[in-house]
Amino acid sequence: MSKNLVGNHIRKLRFEYNEMTQQQLADKVGVTRQTIVALEKGNYSPSLELAFRIAQAFSLHLEEVFFYGEQTRKEEDGG
Amino acid sequence: MTYQEKKSIVSIISAILIFVSFSAYKYVRYPAEGMEQTEMFHYWGSFVLVLTLVSIFAHIVISIIFNIVFRITTGEKEPNFADELDKQIELKSHRNGFFIFILGFLLAMGSLVIEQPVQVMFVILIVSGFISDVAGSVTKLYHYRRGV
């Protein structure tokens, strides 16, 4: 399977955002909890529409939640 | 393990159980040698039709039982809608399932071309239908575990 190059800060943002649970975020953006789990693990690149809905849920811009590229992912993984 | 992963595993196991038990049930009822062609077509036609109906019914019953057991054991409610990830995985599962069935169909036609008995064609068709069903569930399990 090709490596997913779209990463995100969802897990970090959930905790900064009143320790929101995965289920609460899922309900807010209209997906199942499983999809939020897959997104946080980096196993799924969301559609543009879902990406915007997630960014809106945190009242942030798209680029503040999602990033693209191997380099940025390494930085994210390294903390 | 998530609801979808568990459901895919239950689906694989139930598909195997249904197919093996139904085939065993029909095998002992296979008409004796020297039957007429119409009798043979009737046998295989009823095999496919009844297997389809039994599979649909059994899958529905197993799905209901699975949901009840899932609620009792986890205290969670199963997702009541399919989101974009579910739909994407569903599409991949259908693609792989159809691909395998088409291969089986072509193989079955090939068996007629090389003048194999008609029974061989029916067996290949039925087995490819079964394998495509299992392949669809395996695809779902794979993508729910490893991502899309």
Side-chain angles (χ1 to χ4, degrees):
Chain A
M1 178 170 292
S2 62
K3 187 154 170 56
N4 183 6
L5 289 177
V6 178
N8 61 73
H9 306 289
I10 293 175
R11 186 189 292 269
K12 193 179 80 184
L13 288 167
R14 278 195 303 108
F15 285 102
E16 286 172 3
Y17 204 91
N18 299 328
E19 296 195 1
M20 187 191 277
T21 63
Q22 289 173 331
Q23 187 62 57
Q24 283 169 335
L25 178 61
D27 292 340
K28 213 168 179 179
V29 298
V31 294
T32 60
R33 193 178 70 83
Q34 169 69 26
T35 301
I36 302 297
V37 173
L39 282 167
E40 287 187 359
K41 280 185 184 171
N43 285 341
Y44 176 54
S45 298
S47 68
L48 198 53
E49 191 185 336
L50 177 58
F52 272 110
R53 283 207 302 267
I54 291 169
Q56 275 179 357
F58 294 117
S59 309
L60 294 170
H61 293 293
L62 199 61
E63 318 82 62
E64 292 172 287
V65 182
F66 294 94
F67 54 84
Y68 179 78
E70 191 69 33
Q71 188 56 43
T72 334
R73 173 171 285 282
K74 278 177 189 163
E75 283 167 16
E76 170 75 5
D77 291 342
Chain B
M1 201 179 277
T2 63
Y3 170 80
Q4 286 93 341
E5 288 167 13
K6 285 177 188 164
K7 198 171 182 185
S8 302
I9 292 171
V10 168
S11 205
I12 293 167
I13 294 168
S14 58
I16 293 169
L17 284 179
I18 293 163
F19 182 77
V20 169
S21 47
F22 185 78
S23 299
Y25 166 79
K26 286 298 269 187
Y27 181 73
V28 292
R29 282 160 183 78
Y30 189 72
E33 278 184 34
M35 62 177 160
E36 285 180 28
Q37 212 167 27
T38 46
E39 203 182 344
M40 192 177 62
F41 282 132
H42 179 267
Y43 174 82
W44 287 110
S46 74
F47 190 113
V48 173
L49 278 181
V50 177
L51 176 60
T52 307
L53 291 175
V54 166
S55 289
I56 292 169
F57 181 72
H59 274 297
I60 291 170
V61 171
I62 290 167
S63 179
I64 291 168
I65 294 169
F66 169 72
N67 284 347
I68 293 168
V69 172
F70 179 79
R71 278 190 195 194
I72 293 168
T73 53
T74 64
E76 274 183 59
K77 229 181 140 186
E78 72 279 2
N80 54 2
F81 69 98
D83 64 15
E84 59 177 51
L85 176 63
D86 298 319
K87 285 174 188 164
Q88 211 167 318
I89 291 173
E90 187 87 24
L91 277 175
K92 284 177 190 285
S93 138
H94 283 163
R95 180 198 60 190
N96 291 355
F98 284 136
F99 181 74
I100 286 172
F101 184 72
I102 292 298
L103 273 184
F105 180 80
L106 293 175
L107 207 64
M109 295 304 110
S111 75
L112 291 179
V113 173
I114 58 169
E115 292 172 6
Q116 290 295 307
V118 182
Q119 292 96 312
V120 173
M121 182 205 68
F122 280 113
V123 168
I124 294 173
L125 273 181
I126 291 165
V127 169
S128 66
F130 162 68
I131 295 174
S132 76
D133 186 16
V134 172
S137 299
V138 170
T139 305
K140 275 188 190 172
L141 180 63
Y142 175 82
H143 286 298
Y144 276 119
R145 288 192 78 86
R146 302 288 303 272
V148 180

